[in-house]
Amino acid sequence: MAYILVRRFSRVFQLNVQRQDIMFSGVRHKSTVHYATRPDQPKLAYRKVKGKSPGVVFLPGFASNMGGKKAEALEEFCQSLGHSYLRFDYTGCGSSEGEIVDGTVGTWKRDVLYVLDELVEGPQILVGSSMGGWLMCLAAIARPERTAAMVGISTAADHFVTVYNTLPIEVRKEIEEKGQWVVPTKHNEEGSITFTTEFLKEAEQHCVLQSPIPVTCPVRLIHGMKDQDVPWHVSMQLAERVLSNDVDVILRKHGQHRMAEKEDIKLIVYTIDDLIDKLTTLV
């Protein structure tokens, strides 16, 4: 069983004042958007900062993009340390080509694997937000040699499928007849997200919480206890399932799903800094 520790990092106060000023004053030298051309697949938009290993790769949440507060703060942080960093948009999201309605968990998993195979060098610390945390797990299973560590933020492993399967049978039957499931949300202007039954069936093929997860790298799972979208218990389940013995679960009592407040981002940055220190010390 994975070793689970709910704690606050002692290294929080070890980053110097200058680095804190850099990290939270906004990105001063934002990276340029590039487009990766893939045979018979939509172009992927990404931003990359060259630097030392291990690098950091940020995986956004569902229907999100690489322009969020967390993604930009991590770029600034990696620049300050001189470590490489890459953030990107999934197919159909942000500046990447394609339509989100055509996307699946499998589509976005392939995007992540392409990034690891073609756009970065060496082992990476994967930082996954919400659905990005699920994709982070899938990528770590498929590319263990490229995964130095994982940091999940409000990780939504199996979440679409889990929530759907907890609906009453009558409701699921109605959804199957209509061919779509409309879920209320406060995270977009429409006020709802629509999932097709085909999307849900495809997503079910990528579930990870039903059996041991063959991941042995360091794992850090950060979750807000006030998360109204994905319960923090999902991170606890994930911690139980991964085979790694180096697993910490960090809970923020008043944290929300997005984890985008200044103190949330500080915790994420300090967590990654702690991992970089651990990984470089081991080397």
Side-chain angles (χ1 to χ4, degrees):
M1 181 182 294
Y3 176 59
I4 304 172
L5 176 63
V6 181
R7 65 183 174 92
R8 294 182 65 185
F9 277 90
S10 61
R11 297 188 77 243
V12 162
F13 301 103
Q14 293 182 21
L15 292 180
N16 58 48
V17 175
Q18 181 180 9
R19 190 187 300 173
Q20 291 189 40
D21 289 341
I22 292 173
M23 291 183 327
F24 303 109
S25 61
V27 178
R28 296 179 181 176
H29 304 290
K30 188 181 294 187
S31 55
T32 304
V33 177
H34 298 278
Y35 293 89
T37 301
R38 304 176 293 172
D40 304 318
Q41 292 188 60
K43 292 181 180 179
L44 276 188
Y46 68 97
R47 292 177 180 269
K48 182 178 181 180
V49 174
K50 293 183 179 180
K52 297 180 292 185
S53 184
V56 176
V57 175
F58 181 77
L59 314 180
F62 176 78
S64 188
N65 60 63
M66 60 178 168
K69 291 180 181 178
K70 295 188 293 292
E72 294 204 341
L74 291 184
E75 178 171 308
E76 192 73 2
F77 167 67
C78 288
Q79 283 181 328
S80 73
L81 281 187
H83 279 260
S84 67
Y85 176 70
L86 186 142
R87 50 185 166 127
F88 70 102
D89 290 332
Y90 304 124
T91 297
C93 300
S95 299
S96 288
E97 292 183 344
E99 299 295 332
I100 191 170
V101 294
D102 299 324
T104 64
V105 174
T107 298
W108 300 321
K109 173 188 172 182
R110 286 193 295 273
D111 291 345
V112 179
L113 296 183
Y114 177 85
V115 166
L116 293 179
D117 292 342
E118 304 294 338
L119 301 183
V120 296
E121 300 79 36
Q124 304 291 313
I125 297 175
L126 304 183
V127 182
S129 178
S130 193
M131 183 191 75
W134 184 0
L135 297 172
M136 167 188 75
C137 295
L138 295 173
I141 294 169
R143 300 289 188 274
E145 74 284 357
R146 305 307 299 274
T147 307
M150 303 195 313
V151 178
I153 305 165
S154 307
T155 301
D158 301 4
H159 189 59
F160 307 135
V161 177
T162 301
V163 175
Y164 178 75
N165 287 339
T166 59
L167 296 174
I169 295 177
E170 311 78 53
V171 176
R172 277 184 280 161
K173 186 176 181 180
E174 183 180 348
I175 291 171
E176 289 173 6
E177 290 174 352
K178 292 181 178 179
Q180 62 181 25
W181 177 32
V182 180
V183 182
T185 181
K186 56 184 178 182
H187 298 310
N188 62 26
E189 295 180 357
E190 294 78 15
S192 65
I193 299 173
T194 300
F195 299 104
T196 64
T197 51
E198 288 80 7
F199 176 92
L200 294 168
K201 289 176 182 177
E202 197 277 341
E204 195 167 10
Q205 300 174 24
H206 303 285
C207 288
V208 297
L209 295 178
Q210 301 307 311
S211 59
I213 302 170
V215 169
T216 57
C217 67
V219 179
R220 304 292 180 262
L221 301 170
I222 304 171
H223 219 121
M225 298 181 74
K226 299 295 184 182
D227 190 335
Q228 296 181 354
D229 296 289
V230 180
W232 57 268
H233 304 88
V234 174
S235 285
M236 300 298 287
Q237 283 182 277
L238 181 59
E240 289 279 4
R241 289 298 187 187
V242 294
L243 296 182
S244 174
N245 289 318
D246 186 358
V247 181
D248 293 344
V249 179
I250 305 117
L251 301 177
R252 282 190 61 77
K253 186 173 183 178
H254 300 292
Q256 304 290 328
H257 181 66
R258 287 185 179 273
M259 292 291 289
E261 298 299 321
K262 184 175 180 179
E263 293 304 312
D264 298 332
I265 294 175
K266 279 186 179 180
L267 175 59
I268 295 166
V269 165
Y270 296 144
T271 301
I272 296 169
D273 181 70
D274 186 78
L275 277 172
I276 289 175
D277 183 71
K278 178 186 182 74
L279 293 168
T280 53
T281 300
L282 290 174
V283 174

